Every structure is written in C-alpha cells, then in structure tokens.
Amino acid sequence: MFRFIQRPTTFRHLVKCRFEKNSHHLRCHRQKSTAAAFDDTTALDGSSDETNPHYPRMFTPLHLGNDIGWLPNRVLMGSMHTGLEGHSIPSFLMPLLNPEETHSTLDQMAMYFQERAMGGCGLMVTGGISPNCEGWVGPFAAKLTTPQEMERHKVVTDAVHSIQIPMADGYVNHNGTSSSLSSVPSKICLQILHTGRYAYHPFAVSASATKSPISPFKARALWTSEVQQTVQDFTRCATLAQQAGYDGVEVMGSEGYLISQFLCQTTNTRTDQYGGSFENRMKFPLEIIQSIRNVCGPSFIVIFRLSLLDLVSHGMTWEECKLLAQGVEDAGATIINTGIGWHEARVPTIATSVPRGAFAFPTQQLRSEGIVDIPLVATNRFNSPQTIEEALEEETADMISMARPFLADPYIMEKSRTGRADEINTCIGCNQACLDHAFVGKTASCLVNPRACHELELSKNALGGGVITGQQEDHLERLDPDQRLNIGVVGAGPAGCSFAMTAAQLGHHVTLYDKASEIGGQFNMAKRVPGKEEFYETLRYFDVMLNKYQQEGFLDLQLGTEITLQDMNSLLSEGDEGEAKIDKWILASGVDPRNPQIPGMDHPNVLSYVDVLRGNAKVGRKVAIIGAGGIGFDMAEFLLYHTKDQRADDVNIDDFLEEWGVDSKHQYRGGLVDTSNNTTEGEVKQHFHEPQRQLYLLQRKKGKLGANLGKTTGWIHRATLNKSGAVEMIHGVKYDRIDEHGHLHLSLNDGKEQRVLVVDNIVTCAGQVEKNELQLQAQEEQSTSSMLADRVYTIGGAYQAGELDAKRAIDMGMRLALKINDDAVVPGQHKFEAPIGPEQKLYEWSKKLM
C-alpha cells in the first residue's frame, strides 16, 4: 500500500536516513507482492468485480491516498511544449512583433486540455512553465511568478475540472478505502520547468559555468544563495499553481534541464553543499520537493520527473538513480514519472524509428526492486492501448505516460475504453508538427491531426462542462441540409483523405476517386522504409474512417477509377431533378518524380524512387542516389536495411538498444555502453544489421547533406547512414552524364575534379513536380462555356510539390473542407493557415539579431 510517512525534521536527516539504509531494508518497502498487482480480483491498489472488457489493466483505477483520491485509469498525459502555455512578452514589444494572434489569454490552452479530458484522460500535465526569468525556455517564455499570471490559468483548470471521467466502481484500496464512484473529475498538474543551461537566452544559469552543445549561450554558475532562492521560486510557482486550481505540479528533474545539471558530476563542479558527492548533488531537487509538500499540503499532487537513463557519458549511475528515487519519495512526492535521455544525447528516444515501449525497461527494473512505494510511470513511445495493456500486464509500471498520442487523437482513451481502438488516429512519432514547431516558436500541431492545439480555431466547442458520453469526438456539427454540397475528390492520398473525412463529418456528400486499388498515395511507399512502420497506422485510420462515413451515407469510395476532364464536366452537369451531381471538385492528385535532366537518363539502370518503393524494381549492390532530401535519405535507409515489410509491433527492441549503445543492464554511467555515442553524429556504434549495399548519396548544393531534414530528427537519419559505414555522402555535385554502361560522371569542387561512379543502378530522388494536369486542362477550357475551372480546388502535392510534405497536405485538406461551402472561398484563394503568434515572431526576430 502507499506509505505516507512522518517527514524528518531536517533535510540533512532526510538524506542521512536514506544513505544509511541497507539493501534489505530498501527492498522491503512494498509489503504486497507485485505479482498480484493486476490479479483478476485484486488491482494494484484495490479490487473490483467490474473491469473493462477491452483493456482491464489500462482502466483499473489508481488510489493516490485519502487526501488526493482516485485516478480513473492508468494513463498520464505527459508534458509537451505546445506554445499554448502563454508568454511574458512585454506589451511594448507587441506592436513591433505585429503577430496575427496575440495569445493574450489561455483560452486555447483551456480548450486543448478540456478536449483531452473529454477524451477520457484522468491526469494531465501542462507544458513546461518557468518559476523565474532565468529558467525561461526562450526570451519572454511562459512563467508563473505573479498573482496576475496565476489568474490567467484559472480558465484552464476550470475547463478541465468540468469534465467527469468514467471509472469502474467497486474498487477497494488496501488500506480499506473503497470507491463507489462511477466518475471522477479530470485532474491537471502544471509542470515547473527550469531550463538551466538549455535556456535559449543570455540569462542562462546552471549548477556550474558550462555551455550546452544545443544552446549558443554559456550559463553562469548560481551562487549558493541563488540556489536557495531558486528552491523558493519553485515553491512560489507551485503555490500559485495551487491557487489557480491545479491539482498538483510536476517538477521537471530530467532531460538535461537544470535539476539534471545539478545531479550529474560533469555539469556540477560546485564545492558548496550542492556539489561534490551525490548526496550533496541531489539536495537541490529534494529541497524543492520537500518545500512544495510543506507549503502546499498533503492533498496536492507532486510528480517528480526522474531521469532513469540520461544517455550521456556523464549521466547518473543506476545506484544514483535509485537513491534519488528513494529521496524523492521521502521528500514528499506523490508519483515518480520517468525521464529518458538528455536533449543533447545522441540516442533517439521518441522518434518514429524508436520501437514502441523501448525505454520502459528502467522503470520496470526500478519497480521490480521494490525500493519505493509511490506509483512509477513508464514513458516514451507508447502510442497504442495494446502496448499499454501489455506493459501493465508485465508489471512494467503503475502508470503509463503518453504525450504526442494525445495530439494525434484526443479521444484515444475513450475509444480504447469503448472498444473502438481501430478508430484511433495513431501518433506516428514524426515530430514534424509538434517538436519541430516548438523549437522555432510556432504553435504545435500534429501531422495526422491538424486540429491539435488549434481547437478553438477549428471547432464548434465552447468551454462547457459535462460527462463523457463517447460522442464528443464528433467535434464538427453537421451542416444544415441546404448548406451541404456534393463534392468530388480526385486522389485518395493524405490530402484527399483528410479533405474527404472532414467534409463527410460536416455532412457533405463526398465521392472519393483514385485510380489505384488502395488509398494512401505516397504513404504506401513511406511505410516500407525501415523506421517508418507507424505509417501503416495512419493508412489503417484513414481506411476505417472512410468506411465508417461510407456506411453512414456521407461518402462513396471509388478505387480503381481514373477521372478525366470529360468525366469532371459530365458529372458537373445538372441531373434529372435539376440538382448538380458534383458541386465542386477537389484535385488531390499528388506529385510525380522530377526528372533531373541528366544526359543518359534513359539508360535502363536508372530508376526513380517510385520504381523502387512502389514497383519493387531490382536494385544492384552499388547504387548512386541523386538527391539528398527527405526522399533521398529514406531511399538510402531502404536500400541499406529493408529485408521485408513489417509493422510497428514487429520492430525488435533489443536490436535497437544494441544498435544505439544503450545499456539495458544498468552497468554503465548514463546508460550508455559506448560513451562515444555522446559526441558527434559520426561517432556512433556500428549498425546492428549488416548493410546490404554500398551507396553514394549526392546533392548539388554545397554543405551538409540533409540540412533541411526535421529539426529534431535529421541528426538521426544522418547518424544512421554514417554508422552503416556503407554510404559516401558527396555535396557540391554537378551531374555531367550517364554513360552507356550506366555509370555516373560527376564534376566536383566547382569543376576542378571529375569522378566516375561505377554503379549497378542510379536512383533519382531529385524532388517532385505537381501532378495537376486536370487543373491546367480546366483552366484552358475557361474561355469556353465550361464552368469547371471556377469549381476546381487543388490541394496537397498537386498544389505545391516541394518535399513529400504530408503535414502540409493533411492540414490543407482539412482547412479547405471546413470552408468549402463558403461562396467567398474561390480557387486560387483557398489555402488557409494557422495564424502566426508573437512567440514565432519573436523567435524569427531574435534569430536575425544573433
């Protein structure tokens, strides 16, 4: 059972008690056998005859003690930087920044969290909010230091608390407390985040005067009095959060932020009471927790985010992690949430190439050792109810944290609870619209769900309360019958599917055509690339929802059907009853590969990426890849490591951990077997699998290959190719010709050097061109009596090719569908984007000054 002990009278006594305990005492904390944690009749914290028939462990309630009460399920919505947390930009700067949206209130944040509560989430954590100016993520970022700032947050907590979450009743806690509740209010905690040397501003501070490799600013060392003041700043922030109505706080003690910097010996070279031994280095976080607990009382949730794997060479040892966990519990924490990896670590931790649940093992190890009684939370790359259920069944943790999956589908919990897992819009771990946005000041969103973080802009809902009924995910009201249109969509790729689903949800009747025998377009190629197995899930979601709307009578899916201009004109004509068969046409016909126009391109050894990924063309052992954008890197990984198509659940965790040098046995400091993983992109462990080919990856532009890849994932792709030892990357290339043998002749160094690549095949990945022939043909007919051109709207890659940008395509399709019945929306003026906030303007401004 959970232990609520009398706190030591002094902090020194608290630490001394922990260090003097022997291992036998540490392992006796959990009197209850963990083997009975999820017994049919006895849950981890209680018993009940009523269990969820679909995911019984996931929906077992959790008791946090009599002062706090019950959580309705075992999932915590983890913290994410979304850009909705507000800012502290002075008013005099606003006219200079001239944003399209001021973000002067937290209404958007309120609706964002309320929708996740409506989706069944019982405990949520906000994005990081600083306890003082030095801890800002960037200049004038979100902070909570004044009563005025506190008042702004009340709309958030009121919105969350207005939602009741269903809970299986009849559970009995082991101390005798029973639950006869059928629902409980959703809870929300504010994350207190001090960035330390990760701060992207010149006022950065840290345990010692050091500079992070991911920030241009060197941090100065805090004086001893400033450390103590920072403890009080955390406490003040927690107190203000409590006054604002938050149910608790999460103290961010991982990921390489300020607390991590105190805990690790390389970033903490202090000689005062906060440096030296680990006992001293962990005083800072323990003083914070104890102070918050003393001031905020027993009914306030205190979560501590504890790094169980730093994944940097100077990180904590496993023994230090355990000592910290024990100290955190005794200081007064309610829950320990796991953190994985410093931000500067050169090991992927959340990208799509990381297998599901790959980093649950340290939480499972800590729990199995039985040294703490408070709930432990496993995290990173949990995105499906089945993975969660399996982790809980294996006693990996008491709770599971998901963050980005709640962006992809705010109703993931309710769909799981009611047996509709096939309707979940699964997070694919791409980072393109969430983390990549956050690091440049843009409001976050989601590639597969553009409504994420834009609910107030793109929804019917107001901030009202209620009890979950399972229908709230129908966030768009059906239009009145006289506003509904008959719409033809050509192309069932990401853009076409996005438009069709949104329009059908609004009540329009959509006929979706594609000449292929399956939906998905370019996603059907992307899903085959090693590390992109999650793309299958988006295709599954599209398929399920299109069929659902088809059964409801709002959509007609016609695969294997090629639409011509004659068809479009014919279907646009009036029917027998004087009603148009098709009122408007949406062209989502996608892209074609761009021909780089190299002499000799007609050689049979020359293939396009489509020939390889869709046509299964045979490729030899030595290959030149023309183009080093996203497609070129995908092609390189496909040619190196693809042996068979597989799904996300098939990816082997042990292979991944070995490949990236992660210590799964807790023997090495920082959790790295090979500490060279922490230096440069090239100094990484050899890939676990032998590469199948020798590749040349080429680009015309001078400079680093893949420079325009994702801000948070590009380094992973470069490292993967580097450590293969089988890829030569060449920049500044001029393609001279392809000879009669199929060999590629190049000029390098501004023509000073010539080189011939003797290869078996050349694969072109040199970009795309818009596949918009139907639009051009319609415009050519505009001078005649045809009305077609005025009713044709082009979206996705057919509108703008560029890279294979699914984020833009899905967003454009959804936004146009929301406005397609508006007569003011005409072709050529039909692209809509999210408004630009002051945070993005400030980031762009500051970049120019640096």
Side-chain angles (χ1 to χ4, degrees), residues 707-729:
N708 294 324
L709 298 177
K711 190 173 182 66
T712 60
T713 55
W715 70 269
I716 301 172
H717 297 294
R718 287 188 292 271
T720 299
L721 299 192
N722 281 332
K723 61 192 171 65
S724 73
V727 182
E728 182 179 353
M729 300 187 190

mmCIF file of all heavy atoms in Angstrom, residues 707-729:
data_model
loop_
_atom_site.group_PDB
_atom_site.id
_atom_site.type_symbol
_atom_site.label_atom_id
_atom_site.label_comp_id
_atom_site.label_asym_id
_atom_site.label_seq_id
_atom_site.Cartn_x
_atom_site.Cartn_y
_atom_site.Cartn_z
ATOM 1 N N ALA A 707 20.480 18.918 -44.578
ATOM 2 C CA ALA A 707 20.391 20.099 -43.704
ATOM 3 C C ALA A 707 18.954 20.539 -43.490
ATOM 4 O O ALA A 707 18.642 21.171 -42.472
ATOM 5 C CB ALA A 707 21.203 21.249 -44.308
ATOM 6 N N ASN A 708 18.079 20.218 -44.419
ATOM 7 C CA ASN A 708 16.680 20.642 -44.308
ATOM 8 C C ASN A 708 15.764 19.536 -43.801
ATOM 9 O O ASN A 708 14.543 19.658 -43.888
ATOM 10 C CB ASN A 708 16.184 21.146 -45.660
ATOM 11 C CG ASN A 708 16.886 22.421 -46.091
ATOM 12 O OD1 ASN A 708 17.203 23.274 -45.264
ATOM 13 N ND2 ASN A 708 17.140 22.551 -47.387
ATOM 14 N N LEU A 709 16.351 18.469 -43.279
ATOM 15 C CA LEU A 709 15.522 17.437 -42.655
ATOM 16 C C LEU A 709 14.938 17.974 -41.358
ATOM 17 O O LEU A 709 15.246 19.085 -40.930
ATOM 18 C CB LEU A 709 16.356 16.184 -42.388
ATOM 19 C CG LEU A 709 16.948 15.482 -43.613
ATOM 20 C CD1 LEU A 709 17.815 14.307 -43.178
ATOM 21 C CD2 LEU A 709 15.851 15.007 -44.560
ATOM 22 N N GLY A 710 14.097 17.198 -40.711
ATOM 23 C CA GLY A 710 13.432 17.648 -39.488
ATOM 24 C C GLY A 710 14.407 18.162 -38.448
ATOM 25 O O GLY A 710 15.477 17.580 -38.231
ATOM 26 N N LYS A 711 14.029 19.241 -37.782
ATOM 27 C CA LYS A 711 14.919 19.883 -36.816
ATOM 28 C C LYS A 711 15.310 18.937 -35.684
ATOM 29 O O LYS A 711 16.438 18.962 -35.195
ATOM 30 C CB LYS A 711 14.252 21.132 -36.249
ATOM 31 C CG LYS A 711 15.175 22.019 -35.422
ATOM 32 C CD LYS A 711 14.487 23.308 -35.041
ATOM 33 C CE LYS A 711 15.404 24.229 -34.249
ATOM 34 N NZ LYS A 711 16.533 24.715 -35.045
ATOM 35 N N THR A 712 14.395 18.077 -35.262
ATOM 36 C CA THR A 712 14.673 17.184 -34.136
ATOM 37 C C THR A 712 14.972 15.752 -34.558
ATOM 38 O O THR A 712 15.274 14.912 -33.710
ATOM 39 C CB THR A 712 13.483 17.175 -33.157
ATOM 40 O OG1 THR A 712 12.302 16.716 -33.848
ATOM 41 C CG2 THR A 712 13.238 18.557 -32.590
ATOM 42 N N THR A 713 14.879 15.459 -35.851
ATOM 43 C CA THR A 713 15.102 14.080 -36.309
ATOM 44 C C THR A 713 16.157 13.963 -37.394
ATOM 45 O O THR A 713 16.609 12.850 -37.686
ATOM 46 C CB THR A 713 13.790 13.468 -36.852
ATOM 47 O OG1 THR A 713 13.262 14.324 -37.885
ATOM 48 C CG2 THR A 713 12.759 13.321 -35.751
ATOM 49 N N GLY A 714 16.560 15.068 -38.001
ATOM 50 C CA GLY A 714 17.527 14.999 -39.096
ATOM 51 C C GLY A 714 18.824 14.342 -38.681
ATOM 52 O O GLY A 714 19.423 13.562 -39.443
ATOM 53 N N TRP A 715 19.296 14.634 -37.457
ATOM 54 C CA TRP A 715 20.561 14.052 -36.994
ATOM 55 C C TRP A 715 20.474 12.530 -36.905
ATOM 56 O O TRP A 715 21.488 11.833 -37.097
ATOM 57 C CB TRP A 715 20.957 14.640 -35.633
ATOM 58 C CG TRP A 715 20.089 14.201 -34.483
ATOM 59 C CD1 TRP A 715 18.972 14.808 -34.021
ATOM 60 C CD2 TRP A 715 20.277 13.032 -33.677
ATOM 61 N NE1 TRP A 715 18.437 14.108 -32.967
ATOM 62 C CE2 TRP A 715 19.222 13.017 -32.723
ATOM 63 C CE3 TRP A 715 21.217 12.014 -33.643
ATOM 64 C CZ2 TRP A 715 19.092 12.008 -31.771
ATOM 65 C CZ3 TRP A 715 21.090 11.007 -32.686
ATOM 66 C CH2 TRP A 715 20.041 11.015 -31.762
ATOM 67 N N ILE A 716 19.274 12.001 -36.629
ATOM 68 C CA ILE A 716 19.117 10.551 -36.534
ATOM 69 C C ILE A 716 19.350 9.906 -37.896
ATOM 70 O O ILE A 716 20.048 8.886 -38.014
ATOM 71 C CB ILE A 716 17.713 10.192 -36.005
ATOM 72 C CG1 ILE A 716 17.474 10.819 -34.627
ATOM 73 C CG2 ILE A 716 17.529 8.675 -35.938
ATOM 74 C CD1 ILE A 716 16.049 10.671 -34.121
ATOM 75 N N HIS A 717 18.783 10.500 -38.935
ATOM 76 C CA HIS A 717 18.959 9.944 -40.279
ATOM 77 C C HIS A 717 20.427 10.015 -40.714
ATOM 78 O O HIS A 717 20.953 9.062 -41.299
ATOM 79 C CB HIS A 717 18.069 10.700 -41.263
ATOM 80 C CG HIS A 717 16.606 10.574 -40.974
ATOM 81 N ND1 HIS A 717 15.923 9.389 -41.072
ATOM 82 C CD2 HIS A 717 15.694 11.496 -40.569
ATOM 83 C CE1 HIS A 717 14.651 9.574 -40.759
ATOM 84 N NE2 HIS A 717 14.491 10.838 -40.443
ATOM 85 N N ARG A 718 21.077 11.135 -40.430
ATOM 86 C CA ARG A 718 22.491 11.247 -40.801
ATOM 87 C C ARG A 718 23.336 10.235 -40.028
ATOM 88 O O ARG A 718 24.233 9.597 -40.582
ATOM 89 C CB ARG A 718 22.985 12.672 -40.547
ATOM 90 C CG ARG A 718 22.470 13.694 -41.553
ATOM 91 C CD ARG A 718 23.139 15.044 -41.384
ATOM 92 N NE ARG A 718 22.760 15.683 -40.138
ATOM 93 C CZ ARG A 718 21.711 16.481 -39.981
ATOM 94 N NH1 ARG A 718 20.919 16.729 -41.027
ATOM 95 N NH2 ARG A 718 21.430 17.030 -38.837
ATOM 96 N N ALA A 719 23.046 10.090 -38.721
ATOM 97 C CA ALA A 719 23.815 9.150 -37.908
ATOM 98 C C ALA A 719 23.609 7.713 -38.383
ATOM 99 O O ALA A 719 24.547 6.912 -38.414
ATOM 100 C CB ALA A 719 23.422 9.277 -36.437
ATOM 101 N N THR A 720 22.373 7.382 -38.757
ATOM 102 C CA THR A 720 22.085 6.024 -39.226
ATOM 103 C C THR A 720 22.920 5.687 -40.457
ATOM 104 O O THR A 720 23.477 4.585 -40.567
ATOM 105 C CB THR A 720 20.591 5.886 -39.546
ATOM 106 O OG1 THR A 720 19.830 6.119 -38.354
ATOM 107 C CG2 THR A 720 20.261 4.500 -40.077
ATOM 108 N N LEU A 721 23.034 6.640 -41.385
ATOM 109 C CA LEU A 721 23.834 6.385 -42.582
ATOM 110 C C LEU A 721 25.326 6.387 -42.259
ATOM 111 O O LEU A 721 26.082 5.553 -42.780
ATOM 112 C CB LEU A 721 23.529 7.437 -43.652
ATOM 113 C CG LEU A 721 22.081 7.512 -44.151
ATOM 114 C CD1 LEU A 721 22.001 8.373 -45.404
ATOM 115 C CD2 LEU A 721 21.493 6.144 -44.417
ATOM 116 N N ASN A 722 25.750 7.288 -41.394
ATOM 117 C CA ASN A 722 27.166 7.350 -41.036
ATOM 118 C C ASN A 722 27.651 6.051 -40.405
ATOM 119 O O ASN A 722 28.708 5.527 -40.756
ATOM 120 C CB ASN A 722 27.415 8.514 -40.069
ATOM 121 C CG ASN A 722 27.480 9.848 -40.782
ATOM 122 O OD1 ASN A 722 27.843 9.917 -41.957
ATOM 123 N ND2 ASN A 722 27.137 10.923 -40.088
ATOM 124 N N LYS A 723 26.869 5.528 -39.477
ATOM 125 C CA LYS A 723 27.348 4.359 -38.758
ATOM 126 C C LYS A 723 27.207 3.078 -39.571
ATOM 127 O O LYS A 723 27.736 2.039 -39.177
ATOM 128 C CB LYS A 723 26.640 4.222 -37.401
ATOM 129 C CG LYS A 723 25.150 4.046 -37.428
ATOM 130 C CD LYS A 723 24.611 4.221 -36.010
ATOM 131 C CE LYS A 723 23.101 4.268 -35.957
ATOM 132 N NZ LYS A 723 22.489 3.018 -36.355
ATOM 133 N N SER A 724 26.533 3.146 -40.701
ATOM 134 C CA SER A 724 26.470 1.962 -41.559
ATOM 135 C C SER A 724 27.834 1.650 -42.167
ATOM 136 O O SER A 724 28.134 0.493 -42.475
ATOM 137 C CB SER A 724 25.455 2.175 -42.681
ATOM 138 O OG SER A 724 25.958 3.086 -43.661
ATOM 139 N N GLY A 725 28.664 2.695 -42.332
ATOM 140 C CA GLY A 725 29.958 2.506 -42.987
ATOM 141 C C GLY A 725 29.841 2.180 -44.451
ATOM 142 O O GLY A 725 30.828 1.807 -45.097
ATOM 143 N N ALA A 726 28.631 2.329 -45.007
ATOM 144 C CA ALA A 726 28.397 1.914 -46.393
ATOM 145 C C ALA A 726 27.890 3.044 -47.271
ATOM 146 O O ALA A 726 27.463 2.804 -48.400
ATOM 147 C CB ALA A 726 27.392 0.763 -46.414
ATOM 148 N N VAL A 727 27.920 4.274 -46.762
ATOM 149 C CA VAL A 727 27.385 5.407 -47.520
ATOM 150 C C VAL A 727 28.443 6.492 -47.627
ATOM 151 O O VAL A 727 28.971 6.966 -46.615
ATOM 152 C CB VAL A 727 26.115 5.983 -46.857
ATOM 153 C CG1 VAL A 727 25.560 7.134 -47.697
ATOM 154 C CG2 VAL A 727 25.066 4.910 -46.661
ATOM 155 N N GLU A 728 28.752 6.880 -48.837
ATOM 156 C CA GLU A 728 29.619 8.039 -49.064
ATOM 157 C C GLU A 728 28.719 9.211 -49.444
ATOM 158 O O GLU A 728 27.968 9.147 -50.421
ATOM 159 C CB GLU A 728 30.628 7.771 -50.172
ATOM 160 C CG GLU A 728 31.572 8.949 -50.405
ATOM 161 C CD GLU A 728 32.603 8.706 -51.489
ATOM 162 O OE1 GLU A 728 32.681 7.570 -51.993
ATOM 163 O OE2 GLU A 728 33.325 9.667 -51.831
ATOM 164 N N MET A 729 28.771 10.275 -48.656
ATOM 165 C CA MET A 729 27.950 11.457 -48.912
ATOM 166 C C MET A 729 28.794 12.493 -49.637
ATOM 167 O O MET A 729 29.874 12.869 -49.160
ATOM 168 C CB MET A 729 27.410 12.027 -47.597
ATOM 169 C CG MET A 729 26.545 11.052 -46.812
ATOM 170 S SD MET A 729 25.768 11.857 -45.384
ATOM 171 C CE MET A 729 25.107 10.432 -44.518
#
